[in-house]
């Protein structure tokens, strides 16, 4: 049985990060809402209680019956998790004199405690809390302090409980990964056997037994998730998987043919449908972004369904849904809300069941699995690309001519990013493309005056957008070298007919967004 660390989510923004850190230790973990502890799950080897936006004294704060887990598993409380345990078992929690926030150093560390094995003196940690533990419960022991936080970490031998008021999961806690490793491996006995190879073996075996001889249909987008899901399913059921790749006329230059060829090289049974004309005619004259999105979304479903219905006896819909899309998130009232599944518009008469082989993976794990499956690096490292494609990068109405102009400009920018080499933080040679999260060109709905030779021109302006990000929730504009920007600008203006001006977008998200529409 696959061992598992269970993370109880009390609503902190960093709960997912705890999950990712545990997975980086090659240990499987699951994040569940604080009130959904799976009592009968025999695979749990330890429990982590996350932080929370609440104080333990808030009326609406999230509470659990600690006795359900106390003494049964090793427990690690983080921030609110530590305060909640302390408060519940008879300690004191009070508002901190001043909000305890930012980098601090552990001036006292009990290095004989398993949690701090291998720690350096004065190890830096990250604090972020309004309340603080002023007294720990009877029988508990303080195992680390900072100058201003006396009970920075505690331990109860009898209960097998550890609590830390700092956040080991964030980057600024410099030995946070070591602390989590000490908990997961030394204290809970994690075997560190969750790897891409083991995931592939177990998932392929599961898919074989789940699907038997059933047929599966899957929509490919060209992105990493759907591609890896397809290759995994192909490994399990071969020709019983049919993939559908739709050209909505809003893909990047040559993308339809290039990606289709990649898929065929991977041995996938794939149908490419070029529906560009349908999309262009339905989009003609439409300017409003949400309306464009709806038309493109519905158009995809129509084309996909028409193709899927041609396959006889198909029983399953394969999807590249990944773990962060599925984690039940808590809203502030404590009710759990599920992130929506993108299955809207499926024909009811087909009655397809959902098959989501990547449902337990974080994005970086999907990439690891893709590599292990032997997929080409350019597919794995592909930037995210919005479903409506260039449709939300042509501001205003869409015409085939505008798509052509944007595809040409975008192609120069993206190829340039791939060709321009630089060094990463470790001195390794990488391309600019690999250093940014996402990039593209936006076609602006304005014309500007220029001069070419002796001629006055009056042509389109485009904006370049390139951002760095960890998850697209926040993003910064990429600080691309001036020389690179100058070259791209020259190339676009010289080579793309109809463009005479290039701007670079230097807005961060928030308050801007990554896409312009
Ligand atoms: P924003 O513009 O909201 O984008 O900062 C965040 C991420 O989402 C992508 N994006 C979309 N993806 N359908 C998609 O599948 C959409 O309608 C859509 N709009 C934005 C965007 O490219 C970025 O990665």
């Amino acid at each position: 049985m696959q061992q598992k660390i269970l993370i109880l989510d009390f609503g902190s923004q960093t709960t997912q990060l705890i999950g990712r850190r545990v997975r980086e230790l090659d240990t499987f973990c699951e994040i569940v809402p604080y009130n959904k502890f799976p009592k009968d799950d025999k695979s749990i080897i330890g429990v982590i209680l996350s932080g929370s936006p609440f104080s333990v004294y808030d009326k609406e704060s999230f509470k659990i019956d600690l006795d359900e887990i106390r003494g049964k598993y090793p427990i690690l409380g983080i921030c609110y998790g530590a305060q909640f345990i302390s408060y519940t078992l008879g300690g004191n929690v009070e508002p901190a004199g001043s909000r305890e926030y930012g980098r601090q150093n552990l001036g006292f560390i009990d290095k004989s405690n398993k949690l701090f094995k291998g720690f350096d003196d004065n190890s830096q940690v990250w604090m972020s809390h309004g309340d603080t533990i002023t007294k720990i419960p009877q029988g508990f022991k303080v195992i680390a302090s900072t100058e201003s936080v006396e009970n920075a970490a505690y331990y109860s031998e009898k209960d097998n409980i550890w609590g830390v008021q700092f956040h080991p999961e964030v980057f600024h806690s410099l030995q946070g990964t070591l602390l989590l490793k000490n908990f997961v491996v030394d204290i809970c006995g994690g075997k560190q056997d969750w790897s891409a190879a083991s995931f592939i073996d177990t998932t392929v075996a599961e898919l074989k037994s789940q699907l038997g001889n059933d047929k599966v249909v899957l929509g490919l987008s060209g992105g990493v998730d759907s591609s890896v899901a397809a290759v995994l399913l192909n490994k399990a059921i071969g020709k019983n998987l049919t993939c559908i790749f739709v050209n909505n006329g809003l893909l990047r230059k040559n993308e339809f043919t290039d990606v289709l060829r990649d898929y065929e090289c991977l041995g996938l049974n794939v149908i490419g449908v070029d529906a560009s004309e349908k999309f262009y005619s339905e989009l003609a004259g439409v300017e409003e972004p949400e309306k464009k999105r709806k038309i493109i979304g519905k158009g995809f479903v129509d084309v996909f369904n028409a193709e899927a219905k041609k396959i006889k006896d198909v029983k399953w819909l394969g999807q590249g849904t990944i773990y962060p899309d599925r984690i039940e998130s808590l809203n502030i009232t404590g009710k759990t809300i599920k992130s929506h599944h993108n299955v809207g518009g499926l024909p009811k008469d087909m009655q397809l069941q959902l098959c989501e082989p990547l449902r337990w993976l974080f994005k970086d794990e999907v990439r690891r699995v893709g590599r292990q499956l032997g997929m080409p690096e350019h597919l794995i490292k592909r930037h995210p690309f919005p479903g409506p494609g260039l449709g939300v990068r042509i501001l205003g109405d869409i015409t085939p001519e505008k798509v052509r102009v944007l595809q040409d400009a975008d192609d120069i920018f993206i190829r340039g990013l791939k060709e321009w080499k630089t060094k990463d933080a470790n001195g390794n040679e990488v391309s600019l493309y690999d250093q940014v999260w996402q990039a593209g060109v936006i076609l602006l709905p304005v014309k500007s005056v220029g001069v070419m030779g002796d001629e006055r021109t009056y042509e389109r302006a485009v904006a370049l957008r390139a951002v760095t990000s960890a998850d697209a929730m926040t993003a910064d504009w990429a600080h691309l070298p001036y020389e690179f920007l100058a070259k791209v600008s020259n190339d676009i203006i010289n080579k793309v007919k109809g463009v005479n001006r290039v701007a670079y977008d230097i807005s961060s998200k928030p308050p801007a967004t990554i896409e312009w529409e």
Side-chain angles (χ1 to χ4, degrees):
M1 193 185 303
Q2 177 75 60
Q3 297 180 322
K4 170 193 299 177
I5 295 285
L6 198 92
I7 300 165
L8 285 180
D9 180 18
F10 288 84
S12 165
Q13 288 185 352
T14 58
T15 305
Q16 271 203 36
L17 204 49
I18 304 173
R20 274 170 50 185
R21 295 281 175 264
V22 173
R23 294 280 184 93
E24 280 162 19
L25 295 167
D26 297 329
T27 305
F28 185 66
C29 65
E30 196 178 337
I31 300 171
V32 298
Y34 70 101
N35 54 356
K36 299 230 172 130
F37 189 84
K39 280 187 208 142
D40 301 324
D41 191 337
K42 300 271 185 292
S43 60
I44 299 170
I45 57 168
V47 180
I48 297 178
L49 276 54
S50 83
S52 173
F54 290 118
S55 150
V56 289
Y57 291 110
D58 287 336
K59 255 206 324 281
E60 63 274 50
S61 67
F62 302 146
K63 298 195 167 63
I64 55 166
D65 179 1
L66 206 52
D67 285 336
E68 285 197 349
I69 51 174
R70 180 153 72 122
K72 296 179 186 153
Y73 315 92
I75 296 173
L76 173 65
I78 294 178
C79 195
Y80 173 92
Q83 293 165 357
F84 174 76
I85 293 168
S86 176
Y87 166 80
T88 308
L89 300 181
N92 278 345
V93 174
E94 292 174 36
S98 57
R99 208 176 141 72
E100 290 168 352
Y101 184 83
R103 292 180 184 82
Q104 298 206 14
N105 295 87
L106 296 175
F108 161 68
I109 303 174
D110 177 356
K111 290 193 206 169
S112 68
N113 191 283
K114 280 186 186 173
L115 195 66
F116 288 116
K117 196 177 92 186
F119 259 61
D120 298 333
D121 290 336
N122 269 314
S123 191
Q124 177 186 301
V125 293
W126 181 260
M127 296 277 183
S128 175
H129 47 97
D131 283 354
T132 193
I133 300 170
T134 48
K135 186 173 133 253
I136 54 173
Q138 227 180 4
F140 280 40
K141 203 174 133 189
V142 177
I143 52 172
S145 313
T146 71
E147 206 164 87
S148 56
V149 185
E150 191 193 338
N151 301 313
Y154 62 69
Y155 169 51
S156 161
E157 187 174 2
K158 178 166 125 309
D159 294 307
N160 222 9
I161 288 178
W162 285 259
V164 293
Q165 292 206 80
F166 53 89
H167 286 272
E169 70 278 18
V170 308
F171 173 74
H172 299 294
S173 289
L174 297 182
Q175 292 188 292
T177 303
L178 176 61
L179 185 146
L180 290 171
K181 177 167 183 274
N182 288 341
F183 179 71
V184 168
V185 180
D186 294 355
I187 295 172
C188 300
K191 289 200 213 98
Q192 296 186 284
D193 55 0
W194 169 256
S195 65
S198 72
F199 169 82
I200 293 168
D201 288 347
T202 33
T203 306
V204 166
E206 275 169 21
L207 288 171
K208 277 185 173 157
S209 85
Q210 179 187 26
L211 302 172
N213 204 27
D214 289 355
K215 289 194 179 155
V216 180
V217 60
L218 178 143
L220 288 167
S221 69
V224 187
D225 301 345
S226 64
S227 305
V228 174
V231 174
L232 206 50
L233 272 160
N234 184 49
K235 201 171 158 72
I237 60 165
K239 294 293 175 228
N240 274 344
L241 169 71
T242 307
C243 303
I244 298 172
F245 182 37
V246 178
N247 184 4
N248 57 11
L250 302 163
L251 301 175
R252 292 196 140 118
K253 187 173 181 174
N254 299 330
E255 188 168 27
F256 184 58
T257 40
D258 289 354
V259 175
L260 209 50
R261 193 173 330 112
D262 278 338
Y263 286 145
E264 282 162 1
C265 287
L266 285 166
L268 296 179
N269 175 19
V270 52
I271 300 170
V273 188
D274 188 352
S276 307
E277 293 308 323
K278 167 187 163 70
F279 284 86
Y280 293 153
S281 71
E282 287 175 5
L283 284 165
V286 181
E287 292 186 3
E288 214 264 307
E290 285 314 301
K291 212 164 161 198
K292 289 199 277 184
R293 271 198 172 78
K294 283 216 171 78
I295 292 172
I296 300 167
K298 181 174 177 307
F300 173 81
V301 171
D302 289 349
V303 175
F304 183 84
N305 288 348
E307 286 303 319
K309 279 187 173 168
K310 292 182 196 161
I311 309 164
K312 266 209 154 102
D313 302 326
V314 57
K315 293 227 171 71
W316 298 82
L317 174 75
Q319 279 203 321
T321 318
I322 66 171
Y323 194 39
D325 304 334
R326 290 192 322 116
I327 297 178
E328 285 187 61
S329 48
L330 292 165
N331 71 12
I332 218 69
T333 62
K335 294 207 177 76
T336 55
I337 41 173
K338 260 211 167 82
S339 352
H340 61 275
H341 278 192
N342 186 21
V343 289
L346 269 180
K348 298 228 166 27
D349 53 329
M350 287 181 74
Q351 298 195 328
L352 298 178
Q353 301 177 70
L354 259 192
C355 171
E356 300 175 314
L358 310 181
R359 66 191 182 282
W360 290 112
L361 301 188
F362 288 103
K363 190 89 183 176
D364 44 340
E365 294 176 311
V366 175
R367 294 203 161 101
R368 270 161 63 189
V369 167
R371 282 199 181 96
Q372 183 77 26
L373 286 164
M375 293 171 64
E377 207 55 17
H378 66 269
L379 262 187
I380 307 239
K381 284 199 181 152
R382 218 142 215 265
H383 286 169
F385 188 63
L390 302 182
V392 289
R393 294 185 182 164
I394 294 172
L395 307 197
D397 72 317
I398 297 168
T399 64
E401 169 60 8
K402 288 184 186 174
V403 172
R404 199 258 328 143
V405 170
L406 181 54
Q407 279 180 335
D408 285 348
D410 179 79
D411 185 53
I412 290 173
F413 186 35
I414 298 298
R415 261 191 302 123
L417 286 166
K418 287 180 177 165
E419 284 163 12
W420 195 278
K421 301 296 176 204
T422 176
K423 297 258 191 270
D424 69 7
N426 301 320
N428 302 319
E429 189 181 87
V430 289
S431 67
L432 286 177
Y433 183 89
D434 291 340
Q435 291 210 306
V436 305
W437 164 269
Q438 193 171 357
V441 178
I442 294 96
L443 187 67
L444 305 181
V446 288
K447 286 190 167 183
S448 82
V449 171
V451 50
M452 263 194 194
D454 294 331
E455 301 249 335
R456 176 184 181 278
T457 59
Y458 184 53
E459 292 177 329
R460 293 184 192 289
V462 297
L464 310 179
R465 181 76 162 138
V467 296
T468 53
S469 177
D471 51 13
M473 303 289 284
T474 62
D476 194 10
W477 60 278
H479 294 215
L480 298 176
Y482 285 171
E483 301 74 23
F484 170 75
L485 290 170
K487 179 175 175 348
V488 170
S489 166
N490 266 335
D491 285 354
I492 290 178
I493 292 171
N494 286 330
K495 294 180 187 158
V496 183
K497 201 161 160 279
V499 176
N500 69 354
R501 194 171 294 268
V502 174
Y504 188 48
D505 180 354
I506 53 167
S507 341
S508 59
K509 173 184 179 178
T513 48
I514 296 176
E515 304 295 345
W516 280 41
E517 275 196 342

